[in-house]
Amino acid sequence: MRRSWLVVGIAALTVTLAACGSSSSSSSLKPEGPNSPVATVAPRPSGPDPSASSKMVCASEAQQELASSLGVTPTQVTTPTWVDHEYSCTYVYPNGSFTLSVKELDSAALTTGYFNALAALDGRQAGLALAAGAFVTPNGSVVARKDWKVLLVDVSHLPPSFGNPPQDQKDTAISIAATILSCWSGA
C-alpha cells in the first residue's frame, strides 16, 4: 500500500514537471513558481463566461498533455458546457470516459464551502498533496481546489484498469488532476 502511494507520488511529480512545457504557444498556460516568467494572477469571482483556466481543461493543449500522461488518445472530447458557473467536458475512449469539470466561485470562503460540501456528499477516502487541497472519493474520482475554483475529475465511467500502461481508476484520476493542475494559472 505504501509503495503504491510512493509510485503515484513519483508519477504525479514527473507529470507535473513535464506538463505544459512542450508548447511554444504564447497563449499556453504555464506553471507558476518562484522562477516562472508568468506573473501570478489574483483569484477573480466567477463571471458570465468561463475563465481561461477553466477553459484550459478541455482545450487542445490539455488533450495532448493528458494523452501523453495516460498513454491513450480520446476518440472524442465533447463540446464543453458552461452551466451555473461550471465548465465541463467529457473525454471519450473506446472502453470508457471521464469528465472534467471546474466550478468557479466568488470567494475563498465559498470555494472552501463548496469543496467541503463535495467531500461530505461524495465522501473523502484519502487526502492528496495537490493544489490548495485535494482528495480522492470512494469511486476513485479526485476533487481539487485552487484559487476560487474546484476541479472534479470524475472517473466513474472508466474501466477498473485504464491507460497505457494500465492504472487503476484512482491512480488515473490522480494523474489527470496532476496534469491539469500543473498547467492551471489563476486566470
Side-chain angles (χ1 to χ4, degrees), residues 129-145:
L130 288 175
F135 62 89
V136 178
T137 69
N139 77 1
S141 296
V142 168
V143 177
R145 63 175 290 172

Side-chain angles (χ1 to χ4, degrees), residues 14-71:
T14 302
V15 167
T16 299
L17 294 174
C20 302
S22 61
S23 173
S24 62
S25 167
S26 62
S27 66
S28 71
L29 299 173
K30 302 294 181 194
E32 299 170 10
N35 299 323
S36 174
V38 177
T40 300
V41 178
R44 291 179 241 165
S46 60
D49 298 313
S51 66
S53 56
S54 289
K55 288 183 191 178
M56 188 274 299
V57 302
C58 304
S60 61
E61 181 179 1
Q63 293 175 33
Q64 293 167 2
E65 296 290 346
L66 288 170
S68 176
S69 170
L70 299 174

Side-chain angles (χ1 to χ4, degrees), residues 33-141:
N35 299 323
S36 174
V38 177
T40 300
V41 178
R44 291 179 241 165
S46 60
D49 298 313
S51 66
S53 56
S54 289
K55 288 183 191 178
M56 188 274 299
V57 302
C58 304
S60 61
E61 181 179 1
Q63 293 175 33
Q64 293 167 2
E65 296 290 346
L66 288 170
S68 176
S69 170
L70 299 174
V72 292
T73 302
T75 55
Q76 174 190 10
V77 176
T78 64
T79 301
T81 60
W82 175 243
V83 177
D84 192 28
H85 301 284
E86 184 172 88
Y87 192 78
S88 180
C89 66
T90 300
Y91 285 68
V92 180
Y93 299 85
N95 61 339
S97 65
F98 65 83
T99 299
L100 297 180
S101 60
V102 179
K103 178 73 169 178
E104 296 190 19
L105 297 128
D106 292 331
S107 69
L110 288 172
T111 305
T112 298
Y114 184 78
F115 180 79
N116 290 338
L118 286 178
L121 181 66
D122 296 338
R124 183 187 312 234
Q125 187 179 39
L128 297 172
L130 288 175
F135 62 89
V136 178
T137 69
N139 77 1
S141 296

